[in-house]
Amino acid sequence: MDIITAHQLKKYYGKGENQIKALDGIDLAIEKGKFTAIIGASGSGKTTLLNMLGGLDTPDEGEVIVDGVSLAGLKEKELAVFRRGKVGFVYQNFNLIPTLTVKENMLFPLSLAGSTPDPVFFQEILTLLHLEDRQNAYPNQLSGGGQQRVAIARALIAKPSVILADEPTGNLDSKSSQNVLGLLKLSVETWKQTLVMITHNLEIAQMADRVIRIEDGRIRA
Ligand SMILES: Nc1ncnc2c1ncn2[C@@H]1O[C@H](COP(=O)(O)OP(=O)(O)OP(=O)(O)O)[C@@H](O)[C@H]1O
Ligand SMILES: [Mg+2]
């Protein structure tokens, strides 16, 4: 079963000779419960595509359907609700809030939505990501790998069906990369989520169930 499908996605920037075709007709189906890696040269359109799949950006043409819902049909507020409930984002630079503790960072998305975590699930995430002892630490007291584990925990807390990760190990050394990636894979497997990850690291791409290569805004098999 496909959890995400995209039809003829196009996104162009600028006009005339200088026009950049960030996405130039992308057709895509992402299978539920699988780990899909997206690779491609810098500027090929990977981030543009991922943001579109998560409803952070809108295409000029084409359509994205997630879990049976066409994102084009959603109003801004509905889109925000969709993102909060269905999608967890993980970024290269972690995007943690420096003045909040690990626990507060993890709970931040839920607090925005006015809800509180299931305490059992919260504990499970802490345990799985080896963060039990670091709950009251601040991000700058953690290593890069530690910070990324917090960002993953934050992405998981709302039990999203899809995790979209944009070069999540791009700022980590190879040992932390393996560690973070292993935990991310374990998390999505444990909670039967779908993982779509951009990476420049071919070793990581090899761990994926499927690899999609983007070139100049198009998919190359
Ligand atoms: N807001 C924007 N305005 C103008 N051009 C943009 C904008 N966003 C992206 N682009 C251009 O679209 C193309 C695709 O960008 P994108 O960020 O998706 O590439 P990428 O594959 O993620 O690259 P990287 O590996 O460097 O992160 C690039 O040529 C980029 O310069
Ligand atoms: Mg990018």
Side-chain angles (χ1 to χ4, degrees):
M1 196 201 128
D2 297 326
I3 188 157
I4 302 177
T5 54
H7 303 286
Q8 281 302 305
L9 286 184
K10 292 186 182 170
K11 185 80 174 185
Y12 295 170
Y13 290 108
K15 285 206 154 66
E17 284 198 355
N18 296 326
Q19 187 175 57
I20 293 170
K21 296 181 172 175
L23 298 182
D24 194 19
I26 296 246
D27 285 309
L28 184 69
I30 304 281
E31 208 180 323
K32 192 172 179 159
K34 293 282 163 78
F35 168 17
T36 301
I38 299 179
I39 61 171
S42 181
S44 56
K46 303 180 298 297
T47 295
T48 309
L49 174 62
L50 199 77
N51 287 343
M52 238 160 248
L53 301 183
L56 277 179
D57 195 358
T58 49
D60 298 334
E61 284 178 35
E63 150 170 79
V64 175
I65 297 170
V66 182
D67 235 356
V69 176
S70 170
L71 302 192
L74 301 183
K75 300 193 178 71
E76 199 53 50
K77 260 193 177 162
E78 296 169 325
L79 207 52
V81 171
F82 155 81
R83 280 194 300 260
R84 268 201 308 260
K86 287 261 183 229
V87 191
F89 290 95
V90 181
Y91 302 96
Q92 179 170 359
N93 57 6
F94 323 132
N95 280 2
L96 298 174
I97 299 169
T99 53
L100 299 184
T101 63
V102 164
K103 182 175 182 178
E104 289 163 347
N105 267 285
M106 279 176 66
L107 299 182
F108 190 65
L110 286 183
S111 67
L112 284 182
S115 66
T116 48
D118 164 359
V120 176
F121 184 57
F122 179 74
Q123 272 307 321
E124 276 178 39
I125 293 184
L126 280 179
T127 307
L128 194 125
L129 290 167
H130 308 317
L131 290 168
E132 296 107 314
D133 303 337
R134 310 316 306 270
Q135 284 185 65
N136 298 316
Y138 287 90
N140 69 5
Q141 296 174 308
L142 303 180
S143 65
Q147 291 182 49
Q148 194 58 300
R149 283 185 279 121
V150 177
I152 291 168
R154 178 183 59 185
L156 294 170
I157 196 93
K159 301 186 178 174
S161 33
V162 182
I163 301 286
L164 300 177
D166 194 344
E167 297 188 51
T169 61
N171 282 338
L172 303 179
D173 60 53
S174 65
K175 200 169 158 225
S176 322
S177 294
Q178 288 299 329
N179 173 268
V180 161
L181 193 82
L183 290 172
L184 184 52
K185 275 197 75 177
L186 182 62
S187 322
V188 298
E189 280 160 18
T190 303
W191 292 298
K192 305 201 179 354
Q193 292 158 322
T194 305
L195 175 62
V196 184
M197 183 191 297
I198 296 174
T199 183
H200 279 123
N201 184 329
L202 293 182
E203 257 175 61
I204 286 177
Q206 274 170 7
M207 294 168 71
D209 298 306
R210 178 182 170 206
V211 178
I212 294 174
R213 178 187 293 276
I214 309 279
E215 236 179 79
D216 298 329
R218 291 163 178 259
I219 290 182
R220 289 276 175 270

